[in-house]
Amino acid sequence: MIDWLVQTLRGYPEIAIFLSLALGYYFGSFTYRGLGLGAVTATLIAAVIIGQLEIKIGSPLKPTFFLMFLFAIGYGVGPQFVRGIAQDGIPQALFAVVVCFFCLGAAYLGAKLAGYDVGSAAGLYAGSQTISASMGLATDAIGRLGLSPEESKKLLDAMPVAYAVTYIFGTAGTAWILSSLGPKLLGVDLQKVCKEYEAKMAGGKEASGLTGYRMVTARAYKLKGGFAGKTVADVEALFGDYRVFIERVRHGGAIIESNPSTPLSAGDIVGLVGRHEALVELGQKIVGTEVEDRELLSVPAEVLEVVLTNKDVAGKTVAELASSDAAREFARGVFLRKVVRGGQELPLNPGLKLDRGDNLLLVGARNNVNRVADKIGYPDRPTDQTDMVFVGVGILLGGIIGAQAIKVGGVPISLSTSGGALIMGLVFGWLRAVRPTFGRISGGAQWFLSSVGLTTFIAVVGISSGPGFVAGLKELGVSLFIAGVVATTLPMVIGVYLGHYVFKFHPAINFGVNAGARVTTAAIGQITEAAKSQVPVLGYTVPYAISNTLLIIWGIVIVVIM
């Protein structure tokens, strides 16, 4: 039975890849206090074990999936990358660049002092800085060194060994440093400073007073006699900062669709929509007696995700879009449930500034939601469709551009097809944010391209390097782990102090900026959990976009400088 399985895997290596993926995603799903191996590292370990069977895999498969992954990564961070370079994210973008150099320098220094070869150095860098994708570019760079096949294989086999040994502390250590050690080093109470920052953003108002459709409800009231001759706008204004709207009016038995100028009469029944506490506390006091009128309140509602593209709306805060007279009419009857930027949900707050490319989740009566959506951007309605022409052309152009090489000292230097795919992903991702009428990649497709693309690449690396993995681990295991701890810790500790004393980031933002600069999702999760707030995410997206690009490209640089 075992011999049959071994022969089958050797004869059909594609089966071995799927076995690695299945085991990797299964064991990578287990976590302890938010931390775990993750699918990438678990897949690598599974693939290395399977690779002990000496399975040979053809070469085109690995770069194909890696190109898919890099394009998807670029596509996802493109809007934030451009914003960080061109707009108000410049300090955060500059900070990310500086931290990226420290990350490269720490790994280079550790590899040089320990006397590691190029392959081990590239793996040490990838694992300690938790940037798995850099191994792909490092692989391309090693392939262009002009070495013999035997020498190249030795270096390539050493890379996943160093990566596997250093990655676990790279992830767990970064999360611990930024969520626990960092605040202690600066003498900061993370929960307290986040609450202070939220209060500052809110400008003295309740942080959720203008947003949060989760607590919005609809109720019907019979108007008091004093409202004769008043308009819908007059009644709505009585609720002050609370956004309360009259959607419909029952007048003389007939239901009327209302607008701000609709006249009201004593005895009319109005359908109010607004925050629950506003209607409970002020509804009967201001308007009149609450009544049951299901027909009046049966307004077709919609939950719609909209990509923000309007330049006049971008750059404004939630409060500016909700509080002024002109803004109240503009956003009348529509509530903001969620804002997502770069895949991260931002804290809903009156002081939250919106940017082009943000995904806004709007809720309200269907006609109002559609009206507002048309004014602020492009409705991104749920669909399984993906523009594969867009994806194919993007990877094609990136590959062609990246394949072009220039000679430096007689050595050909290029971005490689992988680097080209990443850069073109950034460009195409930005184009999608600016002109979202084309180039849609569905959420499921983007997950497949980025997650399965990388894990398949890693599976091939692990299976191919399996036979030499154990020997390399025995030879360098302890020293590699120590070098990884140093390479992980040094840039993060420097980054915490740098962000606080040099860049003057607010303590509530500083740790999010550092997590983004290190491209560590586990760290931002631990930070927000420790802070009991989503505020640190405000500093995460721009550095993440910048670092996710530079740290991957450093995979080439670490090979060149070693």
Side-chain angles (χ1 to χ4, degrees):
M1 181 67 178
I2 295 178
D3 289 340
W4 169 82
L5 178 60
V6 170
Q7 293 305 318
T8 300
L9 292 177
R10 286 175 177 172
Y12 301 94
E14 61 272 20
I15 299 177
I17 294 173
F18 282 104
L19 176 58
S20 300
L21 293 176
L23 293 173
Y25 276 97
Y26 176 73
F27 288 104
S29 65
F30 294 104
T31 60
Y32 177 72
R33 294 185 178 180
L35 297 174
L37 286 176
V40 175
T41 306
T43 297
L44 175 62
I45 294 172
V48 165
I49 294 173
I50 295 169
Q52 303 305 310
L53 303 177
E54 299 185 351
I55 298 170
K56 307 296 182 184
I57 298 178
S59 58
L61 182 65
K62 182 170 67 173
T64 299
F65 275 87
F66 193 60
L67 291 179
M68 291 164 47
F69 160 74
L70 287 176
F71 181 81
I73 287 295
Y75 177 90
V77 303
Q80 288 71 46
F81 185 90
V82 174
R83 170 180 169 258
I85 294 176
Q87 298 180 23
D88 58 347
I90 290 179
Q92 294 181 7
L94 181 59
F95 174 82
V97 172
V98 173
V99 170
C100 283
F101 275 102
F102 278 117
C103 291
L104 175 65
Y108 171 77
L109 183 63
K112 275 294 185 181
L113 291 177
Y116 296 150
D117 59 31
V118 174
S120 297
L124 166 65
Y125 165 74
S128 64
Q129 311 309 318
T130 66
I131 192 73
S132 314
S134 67
M135 289 195 293
L137 271 70
T139 299
D140 292 342
I142 289 173
R144 294 195 301 272
L145 292 179
L147 304 175
S148 67
E150 293 76 16
E151 290 174 312
S152 293
K153 188 176 188 312
K154 180 181 177 182
L155 297 180
L156 294 177
D157 286 350
M159 195 187 309
V161 176
Y163 168 83
V165 171
T166 57
Y167 178 84
I168 295 176
F169 185 85
T171 300
T174 299
W176 173 74
I177 290 168
L178 295 181
S179 64
S180 300
L181 179 61
K184 290 183 175 64
L185 292 176
L186 298 181
V188 168
D189 184 331
L190 195 55
Q191 293 187 27
K192 180 180 179 181
V193 295
C194 284
K195 288 181 180 178
E196 291 173 351
Y197 196 88
E198 286 180 353
K200 179 182 177 182
M201 287 178 65
K205 301 176 182 178
E206 182 190 353
S208 58
L210 301 175
T211 59
Y213 197 83
R214 294 180 183 86
M215 295 300 295
V216 169
T217 187
R219 305 176 86 141
Y221 297 86
K222 188 173 183 178
L223 289 177
K224 300 175 182 177
F227 284 103
K230 299 291 186 180
T231 66
V232 164
D234 294 331
V235 177
E236 293 175 349
L238 295 175
F239 287 87
D241 286 339
Y242 284 113
R243 300 182 69 238
V244 175
F245 304 100
I246 297 177
E247 289 287 354
R248 306 166 91 187
V249 178
R250 184 183 288 279
H251 178 75
I255 295 178
I256 303 170
E257 301 294 334
S258 68
N259 59 61
S261 61
T262 299
L264 299 172
S265 303
D268 284 351
I269 299 176
V270 296
L272 295 184
V273 176
R275 286 189 63 82
H276 175 78
E277 66 268 26
L279 299 187
V280 170
E281 294 173 11
L282 304 175
Q284 297 199 63
K285 184 185 299 184
I286 292 176
V287 182
T289 305
E290 184 174 3
V291 297
E292 178 70 20
D293 195 330
R294 293 188 179 184
E295 184 183 7
L296 180 68
L297 299 179
S298 296
V299 179
E302 183 166 11
V303 179
L304 182 64
E305 187 172 309
V306 180
V307 180
L308 176 59
T309 61
N310 189 323
K311 293 180 180 179
D312 296 329
V313 175
K316 287 186 169 58
T317 64
V318 172
E320 289 172 332
L321 293 174
S323 58
S324 68
D325 291 339
R328 285 176 67 89
E329 175 58 26
F330 168 78
R332 188 174 187 277
V334 176
F335 298 85
L336 183 61
R337 174 181 287 181
K338 183 167 63 175
V339 178
V340 176
R341 180 181 301 159
Q344 293 289 326
E345 183 175 348
L346 302 181
L348 275 181
N349 190 289
L352 175 62
K353 185 183 292 185
L354 303 177
D355 287 320
R356 291 179 75 181
D358 283 353
N359 287 73
L360 313 181
L361 195 65
L362 305 181
V363 186
R366 184 176 299 154
N367 60 325
N368 288 329
V369 169
N370 290 331
R371 171 179 54 81
V372 172
D374 290 340
K375 290 181 179 180
I376 68 173
Y378 181 77
D380 200 11
R381 301 183 188 278
T383 176
D384 294 331
Q385 296 287 326
T386 290
D387 189 347
M388 284 307 298
V389 174
F390 182 83
V391 175
V393 170
I395 296 177
L396 170 66
L397 293 177
I400 292 174
I401 294 171
Q404 309 309 307
I406 58 173
K407 287 192 175 182
V408 178
V411 178
I413 301 294
S414 75
L415 282 173
S416 78
T417 55
S418 303
L422 174 63
I423 300 302
M424 199 53 62
L426 292 170
V427 174
F428 275 42
W430 173 77
L431 286 175
R432 162 69 181 169
V434 176
R435 294 286 185 271
T437 54
F438 67 94
R440 187 182 195 281
I441 301 179
S442 69
Q446 189 165 357
W447 176 86
F448 181 86
L449 290 172
S450 58
S451 180
V452 179
L454 179 59
T455 50
T456 301
F457 165 80
I458 291 295
V460 176
V461 169
I463 292 172
S464 300
S465 62
F469 187 94
V470 175
L473 184 61
K474 289 180 178 178
E475 181 182 352
L476 300 174
V478 176
S479 65
L480 263 175
F481 181 79
I482 295 173
V485 170
V486 173
T488 293
T489 304
L490 192 60
M492 285 296 89
V493 172
I494 293 174
V496 167
Y497 284 115
L498 195 67
H500 187 75
Y501 291 108
V502 178
F503 284 82
K504 307 294 184 182
F505 294 134
H506 190 282
I509 302 297
N510 185 26
F511 300 101
V513 173
N514 273 276
R518 187 51 168 275
V519 196
T520 308
T521 305
I524 193 63
Q526 290 288 97
I527 292 167
T528 55
E529 182 178 337
K532 307 299 182 188
S533 169
Q534 287 295 111
V535 163
V537 176
L538 294 172
Y540 180 77
T541 56
V542 169
Y544 178 88
I546 300 297
S547 292
N548 208 11
T549 304
L550 281 183
L551 290 178
I552 291 174
I553 293 175
W554 278 184
I556 298 175
V557 177
I558 190 72
V559 172
V560 172
I561 63 177
M562 282 295 294

